[in-house]
Amino acid sequence: MAEKKNMSTVVGVRFTDAQYAPHEEAIAKSGLKPARYFRDLVLSRSPTFEESGFDKKRMLNAFEKAGHALNRVAHLANSAPYKGALYQTKYLHWLSRLTSIQLLLHTVLPTTDPPIKARAAHNGNRGSPGELSNKIHAIYFRLTQDELAQFDHLIKRTRCTASAFFRALIVNNKPVFKEFTGFKKRIVFIVNKAGNNITQLAYIGSAAFDRAIIAGEVKAKWLDVLVSIEALLLAGIEYAD
């Protein structure tokens, strides 16, 4: 019985000039065609996955609670009639609730500054960035089924396209990937919904002041807390990235 042939698969990767330029000299020195050069480079790389010490489960739980609590305050404030002293009492209670939400978010995000992102690697061109054109280099190379199988489970873990995965392998000397968990998608949903509630609550604070129901300093505190909550929520997206 004839042995089963190990068929090959064509892999296509597109590079910008900035991504392709650092490899031009190495390709020339190797004497290989670009397709063979990049194929060998891909097979030589050992991708790893990021291991973050950041407690994403704890953060998501806090964001879920904060989102629900913010929605509740917005609902109560929207449905309450403006009735003098009674409204003042309720308003101060809502302000206390908002402060609690702010503190809850602070327990998982002690700062509103987003994480420092790694600087992009230099593209190897010491001249002006404008010297590089927008030309796209399309490279196609073949991987056997066995060779491709080495990367299949990694590509599935990242949820990115095969082309994007192999481009990252080529562009980065020590490629580090982030595993797709759905975490960021949920955080973005919570932040978007919370943003609508924050907008409503900011309007409510201004309206209460315009009706002379609350003092200026109370309105200022109300808006300051909302701004802080919004900043913390947005910082959460950066941490989730």
Side-chain angles (χ1 to χ4, degrees):
M1 182 176 178
E3 292 185 9
K4 185 178 178 180
K5 293 183 178 180
N6 194 354
M7 304 294 290
S8 61
T9 300
V10 176
V11 176
V13 182
R14 295 164 67 86
F15 302 96
T16 63
D17 263 354
Q19 294 169 333
Y20 188 84
H23 298 281
E24 288 186 306
E25 184 177 351
I27 292 173
K29 287 182 177 179
S30 70
L32 300 173
K33 291 183 178 180
R36 180 56 187 269
Y37 169 85
F38 286 118
R39 174 189 179 278
D40 291 350
L41 187 61
V42 161
L43 294 175
S44 71
R45 293 282 162 84
S46 300
T48 58
F49 279 82
E50 180 182 67
E51 294 184 9
S52 174
F54 190 67
D55 193 339
K56 292 185 176 182
K57 185 176 181 180
R58 180 167 171 257
M59 174 183 158
L60 181 58
N61 184 51
F63 268 56
E64 294 275 9
K65 289 182 178 179
H68 288 309
L70 195 62
N71 185 62
R72 180 62 178 165
V73 173
H75 173 73
L76 292 173
N78 267 322
S79 59
Y82 292 100
K83 291 185 178 179
L86 178 61
Y87 187 85
Q88 285 183 1
T89 301
K90 290 183 176 180
Y91 189 96
L92 293 176
H93 172 68
W94 299 328
L95 179 56
S96 176
R97 294 280 295 276
L98 291 176
T99 302
S100 296
I101 294 170
Q102 178 190 26
L103 294 174
L104 172 62
L105 294 173
H106 267 299
T107 63
V108 291
L109 290 175
T111 175
T112 56
D113 294 330
I116 298 175
K117 293 186 177 181
R119 295 180 62 185
H122 196 279
N123 61 27
N125 187 317
R126 293 294 177 182
S128 167
E131 292 178 9
L132 291 176
S133 70
N134 293 322
K135 181 180 177 182
I136 297 297
H137 301 263
I139 302 296
Y140 298 90
F141 54 88
R142 289 182 175 273
L143 293 177
T144 66
Q145 290 181 344
D146 289 342
E147 290 168 341
L148 190 59
Q150 300 174 39
F151 302 105
D152 274 345
H153 70 289
L154 300 176
I155 295 172
K156 289 177 182 177
R157 286 175 66 184
T158 62
R159 291 281 187 96
C160 65
T161 64
S163 179
F165 179 85
F166 287 116
R167 181 168 52 249
L169 278 184
I170 292 168
V171 171
N172 300 288
N173 291 328
K174 296 181 179 180
V176 178
F177 293 91
K178 292 184 179 181
E179 187 160 9
F180 178 85
T181 61
F183 173 74
K184 183 175 182 178
K185 184 177 180 180
R186 182 59 185 168
I187 290 294
V188 170
F189 173 80
I190 293 170
V191 172
N192 286 339
K193 187 174 181 180
N196 294 330
N197 289 323
I198 289 172
T199 299
Q200 291 180 32
L201 289 167
Y203 172 79
I204 288 169
S206 297
F209 175 73
D210 293 341
R211 288 175 168 81
I213 296 175
I214 61 171
E217 57 267 24
V218 178
K219 173 193 171 184
K221 175 63 176 176
W222 178 272
L223 295 179
D224 284 346
V225 172
L226 289 176
V227 168
S228 176
I229 290 173
E230 182 178 48
L232 287 163
L233 290 170
L234 291 174
I237 294 179
E238 296 296 329
Y239 277 98
D241 197 4

